[in-house]
Amino acid sequence: MDNYPNLKAKIREINDFPTPGVHFKDITPLLEDPVTFCEAIDGIAGFFKDKKIDKVVGIDARGFLLASAVAYLLKAGMVVVRKKGKLPWDKILREHDLEYGKGSLEMHIDSIKKGERVLIVDDVLATGGTAEAAIKLAEELGGKIVGIAVLLELPMGGQEKLKNYNIKSLIKY
Amino acid sequence: MDNYPNLKAKIREINDFPTPGVHFKDITPLLEDPVTFCEAIDGIAGFFKDKKIDKVVGIDARGFLLASAVAYLLKAGMVVVRKKGKLPWDKILREHDLEYGKGSLEMHIDSIKKGERVLIVDDVLATGGTAEAAIKLAEELGGKIVGIAVLLELPMGGQEKLKNYNIKSLIKY
C-alpha cells in the first residue's frame, strides 16, 4: 500500500548515477513543490510528534533538507552527522558501507547528551549502512534512538539490518 | 547593535579550520539547542514572511540546515544549490571564490521558473562569493532575487559585493 502516491509521483528516477548500475532517486522535484515538500515534512514529523524527541540528527547532506524542518516542528535540537573532515571540533567517527562505495561519518562529541531521545532523519534508506553509522555515533554518546525517519525506502536490506529500531518512511519501492 | 546576543553566544570559534589562518564559526551548538535553533529559524523567516517567496534556495551543505525550516515556514518550495557533481539531472554551473579556495555550484535547470520570487539562504556571508554564485544561478533561470538571508555575517566584503540585493543576517561580527 502506498499512502503518499502524490509524493512518489514527484520522485525523478535517474539511471547510472552516481555510478553505473545505480538507479538514483532524485527528490529535488518533490522538495521544490511547496505542497509536496510541506506534506513530506508534516508526514515525517507526524510519526514522532508525541515521542518527546530531544535531538533530530540529520545526515550529510540530503538528510539536512528534511531534518531541519522536522526538528523545528518537533521543537528539538538539530544535530549534524557529517562526512569525514567537515566538522571543526572534537568528534567521533564511524566507517560504513554505502549503496555505492564506502564512507565515514562524524559527530561532535557534545552533540548528544546521555539519555537524550534521538530521531535520525535521512532522505533514503537503502542498505541501512549510513543510518546504522549515525545510530552508532548517537548511541556512543549515550543517546536513546527513538526512531529512524526517511522520505523513501528501497528494498535493499536496510529494514533487516536495522530491525531492532523503529523505522518510518513515507514512500516505499 | 546586536539584536541576538543569545544566538551569538552559541557560536563556537575555531582557529585554523579548515585551513591555517581561518577563524571558523561553528554554528552546531546554536543548532543543537532547540531554543536558539527555533529563534534563528523564526528570525530568518520573519524577515521575509510577507514577501511572497516562491522558492527558498539552500546552499550546500550548511545552508540546508536553515533553508529547509525557513522554506516550510514560508510555505515555499525548497531548492538546492549543490557542489559540483552532486546533482543527478540537467543543470547549470557557476564557479566562485571561497573564503578559502575555489568552488563550483550547480542548480537543476527546472528548479526555478521564470518570474519566481527567490530567497537565498546560507549559514554565513563572508566574501559573498558563494551567495553571488547562487544568485547568478537563480537569475539565469529567470528567478527574481527578493533577498539573501544568513545566520551570521563576517566583515569580509560580502555586503559590498552584493550591495544591490537585500541582505539580512541575525548575527554580525
Side-chain angles (χ1 to χ4, degrees):
Chain A
M1 203 183 69
D2 197 341
N3 289 323
Y4 290 93
N6 57 326
L7 297 187
K8 197 174 200 173
K10 288 278 183 174
I11 305 293
R12 181 159 52 196
E13 302 210 29
I14 315 267
N15 288 330
D16 300 320
F17 183 90
T19 54
V22 177
H23 301 285
F24 189 81
K25 304 288 187 285
D26 176 15
I27 66 169
T28 63
L30 184 155
L31 301 175
E32 290 166 5
D33 180 330
V35 174
T36 50
F37 175 61
C38 289
E39 189 171 348
I41 297 299
D42 288 336
I44 291 171
F47 289 133
F48 294 95
K49 74 178 156 52
D50 299 321
K51 302 294 186 192
K52 298 183 178 21
I53 301 298
D54 296 305
K55 294 277 170 71
V56 171
V57 173
I59 300 179
D60 191 356
R62 285 189 300 273
F64 298 171
L65 298 168
L66 303 164
S68 160
V70 169
Y72 181 91
L73 280 183
L74 295 178
K75 300 191 197 314
M78 164 81 223
V79 169
V80 299
V81 161
R82 297 221 59 181
K83 289 163 192 157
K84 189 176 176 176
K86 299 286 185 181
L87 286 178
W89 198 63
D90 297 343
K91 59 219 170 191
I92 52 175
L93 178 144
R94 284 274 168 170
E95 295 189 333
H96 62 101
D97 294 324
L98 288 168
E99 185 182 343
Y100 28 84
K102 284 220 173 229
S104 297
L105 292 176
E106 294 182 326
M107 185 181 280
H108 276 156
I109 59 169
D110 63 349
S111 289
I112 292 170
K113 288 170 187 57
K114 198 164 158 43
E116 283 189 323
R117 296 171 58 80
V118 174
L119 171 63
I120 309 280
V121 172
D122 205 358
D123 61 333
V124 174
L125 181 72
T127 65
T130 307
E132 186 181 43
I135 288 167
K136 296 298 180 196
L137 289 167
E139 287 181 338
E140 188 174 336
L141 295 179
K144 173 178 169 44
I145 308 299
V146 178
I148 298 105
V150 296
L151 184 58
L152 64 88
E153 199 182 318
L154 303 173
M156 295 179 67
Q159 280 281 359
E160 294 75 51
K161 186 192 288 262
L162 304 174
K163 63 179 185 293
N164 294 328
Y165 297 92
N166 179 24
I167 301 172
K168 296 289 189 183
S169 64
L170 297 180
I171 304 168
K172 290 182 173 63
Y173 281 86
Chain B
M1 202 184 72
D2 199 342
N3 290 322
Y4 290 92
N6 58 327
L7 297 188
K8 198 173 199 173
K10 287 279 183 172
I11 304 293
R12 181 160 51 195
E13 303 209 32
I14 315 266
N15 287 330
D16 300 320
F17 183 90
T19 54
V22 176
H23 300 285
F24 189 81
K25 304 289 187 283
D26 178 15
I27 67 169
T28 61
L30 184 156
L31 302 175
E32 289 165 5
D33 179 331
V35 174
T36 50
F37 174 63
C38 289
E39 189 172 348
I41 298 299
D42 288 337
I44 292 172
F47 289 134
F48 294 94
K49 73 179 157 51
D50 300 320
K51 302 295 187 191
K52 298 183 182 7
I53 302 297
D54 296 305
K55 295 277 170 68
V56 170
V57 173
I59 300 180
D60 192 353
R62 286 189 300 271
F64 298 171
L65 297 167
L66 304 164
S68 161
V70 169
Y72 181 89
L73 280 183
L74 295 177
K75 300 191 197 317
M78 164 82 222
V79 168
V80 298
V81 161
R82 297 221 60 181
K83 287 163 193 156
K84 189 176 176 176
K86 298 287 185 179
L87 287 177
W89 199 62
D90 297 344
K91 60 218 169 192
I92 53 176
L93 177 144
R94 285 271 168 170
E95 295 188 334
H96 64 100
D97 295 324
L98 287 168
E99 186 182 344
Y100 29 84
K102 285 218 172 232
S104 298
L105 292 176
E106 295 182 325
M107 184 182 280
H108 276 155
I109 59 169
D110 62 348
S111 288
I112 292 171
K113 288 167 188 61
K114 200 165 157 42
E116 282 188 326
R117 294 170 61 80
V118 174
L119 171 63
I120 310 280
V121 172
D122 205 358
D123 60 334
V124 174
L125 180 71
T127 65
T130 307
E132 185 182 44
I135 288 168
K136 296 300 181 195
L137 289 167
E139 287 182 338
E140 187 175 337
L141 296 178
K144 174 178 169 40
I145 308 299
V146 178
I148 297 103
V150 296
L151 183 58
L152 65 90
E153 199 182 318
L154 303 174
M156 296 180 66
Q159 281 279 1
E160 295 75 51
K161 188 192 288 266
L162 305 175
K163 64 178 185 293
N164 295 325
Y165 297 93
N166 180 24
I167 302 173
K168 296 288 190 184
S169 64
L170 297 179
I171 305 167
K172 289 182 174 63
Y173 282 85

